[in-house]
Amino acid sequence: MDKLRIEGGIPLSGTITVSGSKNAALPILFAAILMDSPCSFLNVPNLEDIRTTLRLLRMLGLSCECEDHVVQTEPGNLIPEAPYDLVRTMRASVLCLGPLLTRLGRARVSLPGGCAIGARPVDQHIKALEQMGARFDLEGGDIIGRCSGLRGAHIVFDMPTVGGTENLLMAAALAKGRTILENAAREPEVVDLARFLISCGARIEGHGTSVIVIDGVQSLSAQTYSIMPDRIEAGTFLAAAGITGGKLTIKNCPYSELETVINKFQELGMQISQTPDGVLAACGKAGLHGTDVKTQPYPGFPTDMQAQIMALMSIASSSSIVEERIFENRFMHVPELIRMGAQIKIAGHTAMIRGVSHLRGAQVMASDLRASASLVLAGLAAHGITDVRRIYHLDRGYERIEEKLNAVGARIERLQQ
Ligand code: EPZ
């Protein structure tokens, strides 16, 4: 297992480029299951979760090639089984359920267990697919779904679920008749999936709003498609500029999709503006001061940026409050930040952060993807050396992060743990 050794206290400066979005690429790659023709995907990030997805697609019968951020898939004889050993490493594997059912009429997918940040149930996916005519059994930890063709339905999600909306978009694209998804997720990654499906002949309207209407078609044939930039990676780099008191130009930064995050960073005292080269981010002269954040479904403040903004808040000149409203256990970065001198108290889903003048380097442990990013940010700002262990969590969602940060002045080494 690797760790990152970070020498803190260096203001970052220069230009950093954002990779393709992990959370857009994953559902779009699973949508290849729907296609009658080969697909070419551009700007695919080079990440562990992408490699896991390609392994699963090959097990399902597709052929997949990946070279230098381009993925090519070819349809094959589909084998509708996603095994536990693979699903347990990546919950997003459940996104093969909708495509397999609508394409083949059957699917056996290991029920994705919980993960560090919460139970992560898939009841909304199941309930909605049952409304479209699928029947499910649970056998040995696997969900076994069957149907004689899915038919359109009027579905109202109990909460806006990104994965649920994506699974149902893919299922409805080849179903018979009209499907309406109400209380649908509005995340940009859902919109990117819809745009890909439409480019292949799907009939979808309302993506990006909470009501999406899909009229099923007979077949879909893929086009070449370029994945949108990763707004969470971009937000993490904005945070790196703020927490180090540096100045970064972030290329391929999806400004409008990051509006809420940028507004919050500006409330903290950061200066962020669009320039012809990208988005320029710097810490204000007066440094950072506290603000309050509640995580919400898009377009609210994204839960995937909660750990990162908390690192910034931990060195602000005043106090902040963070409320995590999406996941039940997404404060695991807090004890590790406290080991670095942060002053944070947790009460239920709320964290109270009292800013300190500086953090101190320490040995810390990553627990999940975005917590890892938070600890790297804290290490960049801390006085002294920080070792972030178990960074396999980080490698799931950030492509070569230490190389990108070292290119703008950071001093990070990847070492054997
Ligand atoms: C996606 O997860 C993202 N993952 C997550 O990013 C992100 O945090 C999350 O959306 C919220 O934005 C991918 O896109 C691969 P949800 P997903 O279904 O789809 C509850 C990262 O760091 N729920 O929108 O699993 C659920 O428990 C990852 O990149 C049900 O109760 O999230 C949660 O409280 C972490 N039943 C809420 O809804 C269901 O059937 C939102 O979950 C489905 C969800």
Side-chain angles (χ1 to χ4, degrees):
M1 274 198 269
D2 290 351
K3 67 181 177 183
L4 289 184
R5 174 155 293 173
I6 305 167
E7 180 189 337
I10 304 157
L12 301 185
S13 91
T15 299
I16 203 162
T17 302
V18 176
S19 298
S21 164
K22 166 180 85 83
N23 289 352
L26 294 179
I28 288 172
L29 288 172
F30 280 111
I33 294 169
L34 300 169
M35 302 300 152
D36 284 342
S37 64
C39 308
S40 280
F41 301 107
L42 313 179
N43 198 34
V44 180
N46 182 8
L47 299 170
E48 192 50 39
D49 275 9
I50 298 295
R51 292 186 282 276
T52 303
T53 300
L54 296 180
R55 268 202 304 281
L56 177 51
L57 288 177
R58 290 184 187 110
M59 292 174 96
L60 295 173
L62 282 82
S63 55
C64 309
E65 294 305 321
C66 179
E67 174 128 16
D68 192 20
H69 302 99
V70 175
V71 168
Q72 295 188 306
T73 63
E74 294 251 340
N77 297 323
L78 283 176
I79 306 146
E81 309 222 341
Y84 176 69
D85 279 352
L86 215 143
V87 173
R88 73 183 173 78
T89 64
M90 188 186 69
R91 301 181 28 72
S93 310
V94 74
L95 291 173
C96 71
L97 197 54
L100 287 173
L101 278 174
T102 201
R103 193 107 161 92
L104 263 189
R106 64 186 199 286
R108 181 179 187 118
V109 181
S110 175
L111 190 59
C115 72
I117 63 178
R120 310 289 296 275
V122 291
D123 57 300
Q124 300 292 304
H125 304 228
I126 301 294
K127 197 169 85 174
L129 289 166
E130 282 176 338
Q131 270 188 260
M132 296 183 72
R135 286 288 159 267
F136 291 94
D137 296 307
L138 187 59
E139 204 178 285
D142 290 351
I143 316 169
I144 300 168
R146 288 181 186 84
C147 67
S148 49
L150 291 179
R151 57 180 185 279
H154 186 164
I155 291 155
V156 183
F157 288 114
D158 293 355
M159 79 291 291
T161 152
V162 171
T165 304
E166 291 166 344
N167 236 334
L168 271 291
L169 265 178
M170 294 187 278
L174 289 180
K176 285 182 185 56
R178 171 166 285 194
T179 299
I180 298 171
L181 302 180
E182 280 201 51
N183 206 8
R186 300 171 52 190
E187 273 67 5
E189 295 75 23
V190 174
V191 173
D192 212 27
L193 169 64
R195 286 192 183 131
F196 167 64
L197 292 171
I198 290 166
S199 77
C200 301
R203 293 171 56 201
I204 300 170
E205 289 182 1
H207 41 297
T209 74
S210 57
V211 182
I212 305 178
V213 180
I214 308 106
D215 288 311
V217 294
Q218 287 293 323
S219 67
L220 295 167
S221 58
Q223 312 297 319
T224 297
Y225 192 79
S226 185
I227 305 291
M228 66 173 276
D230 192 314
R231 64 190 167 104
I232 304 301
E233 185 194 20
T236 306
F237 291 142
L238 291 173
I243 204 167
T244 60
K247 194 171 187 178
L248 289 177
T249 296
I250 292 141
K251 294 184 78 164
N252 297 348
C253 180
Y255 195 92
S256 56
E257 289 88 346
L258 268 176
E259 202 91 59
T260 314
V261 173
I262 289 169
N263 292 344
K264 275 298 163 188
F265 283 178
Q266 288 167 333
E267 277 177 34
L268 278 172
M270 281 189 68
Q271 278 147 13
I272 301 176
S273 57
Q274 286 186 288
T275 69
D277 301 333
V279 173
L280 182 61
C283 191
K285 293 234 175 317
L288 301 172
H289 43 79
T291 187
D292 298 339
V293 160
K294 287 190 184 87
T295 64
Q296 298 176 67
Y298 194 87
F301 190 91
T303 174
D304 291 350
M305 280 298 301
Q306 180 259 104
Q308 297 93 312
I309 198 168
M310 196 184 287
L312 275 178
M313 292 166 163
S314 61
I315 57 163
S317 57
S318 52
S319 297
S320 304
I321 293 178
V322 170
E323 206 178 325
E324 172 54 58
R325 293 182 155 194
I326 304 293
F327 290 111
E328 61 268 35
N329 187 33
R330 203 167 198 180
F331 282 149
M332 275 160 313
H333 43 288
V334 171
E336 302 305 305
L337 290 173
I338 290 171
R339 283 177 52 73
M340 299 178 73
Q343 292 195 5
I344 306 171
K345 282 195 176 16
I346 297 176
H349 291 268
T350 303
M352 279 75 77
I353 302 104
R354 186 194 306 273
V356 294
S357 59
H358 63 276
L359 297 172
R360 291 183 299 280
Q363 302 262 356
V364 291
M365 191 84 78
S367 51
D368 61 85
L369 170 53
R370 306 304 172 182
S372 324
S374 167
L375 298 178
V376 170
L377 291 170
L380 290 172
H383 293 190
I385 301 290
T386 299
D387 280 357
V388 182
R389 306 162 81 97
R390 294 190 185 169
I391 52 153
Y392 57 86
H393 291 293
L394 196 66
D395 294 336
R396 295 190 50 180
Y398 290 92
E399 183 177 346
R400 301 176 299 108
I401 193 167
E402 73 269 23
E403 289 173 32
K404 291 188 177 184
L405 290 171
N406 285 342
V408 289
R411 289 191 196 137
I412 306 176
E413 277 181 279
R414 181 180 285 256
L415 303 169
Q416 288 289 325
Q417 197 152 293

